[in-house]
Amino acid sequence: MKRLLVLITVLFLSCDYFEKKKVNTEDIVTQELETINWNAVDEYPSFSVCDSVSEKLARKHCFETTVLNHVNDYLSKQSIVVSENVEDTISIKLAIDKLGSISVLDINTKPETREIIPEIDTLLRGSISSLPKIFAAIKRRQHVNTEFVLPVVVSIK
């Protein structure tokens, strides 16, 4: 009788051992999202001129160089008249959305530069808006929004 009671108790308690645990898909998604480094992308935003570059960092450099060259070319074609020398590193905070549209979030310049060249914001925004087609950054085979800061050195004498 004791053996039967022990056997029934063991069987009753061991049923939990065979029970399958349900996996909640929300838990899996949450766990996966926590493991992703959202500050890094698999492929940086790009221009068609950067298509021939295959290495990740080289593509990033190509993108940044293309933007800087475009901004410099645009500014050099403008007739900027100053009364005194200007030397400043302007930080332009840019956002590129999933569709490849670029927008200026912020322009950080010295107050002296804004005083000497009051139209500097308009000129920089114009140079950014006239960029060629941009291909959005990619993270896990999906186009994603990105933000970055572009330093532009302005030296007018």
Side-chain angles (χ1 to χ4, degrees):
M1 186 71 175
K2 273 186 166 181
R3 288 185 180 169
L4 182 62
L5 185 61
V6 170
L7 182 65
I8 291 174
T9 307
V10 168
L11 286 175
F12 180 71
L13 294 176
S14 66
C15 286
D16 289 341
Y17 180 75
F18 294 107
E19 186 177 306
K20 292 184 180 181
K21 293 184 180 182
K22 292 183 180 180
V23 178
N24 187 350
T25 56
E26 289 180 18
D27 292 341
I28 293 173
V29 170
T30 303
Q31 184 180 13
E32 186 70 16
L33 289 174
E34 289 174 359
T35 62
I36 296 173
N37 179 2
W38 290 104
N39 294 324
V41 292
D42 298 335
E43 289 184 36
Y44 288 97
S46 183
F47 294 101
S48 58
V49 297
C50 300
D51 286 346
S52 61
V53 181
S54 59
E55 187 182 321
K56 183 178 177 180
L57 290 177
R59 286 181 68 91
K60 178 184 178 189
H61 179 71
C62 179
F63 175 77
E64 291 172 347
T65 302
T66 303
V67 173
L68 281 172
N69 288 341
H70 182 80
V71 170
N72 287 334
D73 289 345
Y74 184 91
L75 291 178
S76 68
K77 292 176 184 173
Q78 306 302 313
S79 56
I80 301 172
V81 179
V82 295
S83 57
E84 52 188 282
N85 295 342
V86 177
E87 293 211 19
D88 190 5
T89 300
I90 300 172
S91 297
I92 307 173
K93 187 173 184 181
L94 301 171
I96 301 172
D97 69 12
K98 297 174 186 180
L99 302 175
S101 297
I102 190 166
S103 59
V104 178
L105 299 177
D106 188 32
I107 298 175
N108 188 5
T109 64
K110 292 179 184 175
E112 300 85 34
T113 304
R114 285 190 198 271
E115 188 176 310
I116 297 168
I117 312 171
E119 69 276 7
I120 192 68
D121 280 13
T122 306
L123 292 172
L124 291 170
R125 288 178 192 278
S127 69
I128 296 299
S129 67
S130 66
L131 280 165
K133 179 169 175 44
I134 298 173
F135 301 100
I138 297 175
K139 180 73 172 179
R140 293 189 154 206
R141 291 178 265 156
Q142 298 292 319
H143 292 281
V144 293
N145 299 332
T146 52
E147 291 182 6
F148 63 97
V149 177
L150 179 72
V152 177
V153 177
V154 175
S155 179
I156 304 173
K157 296 182 181 192

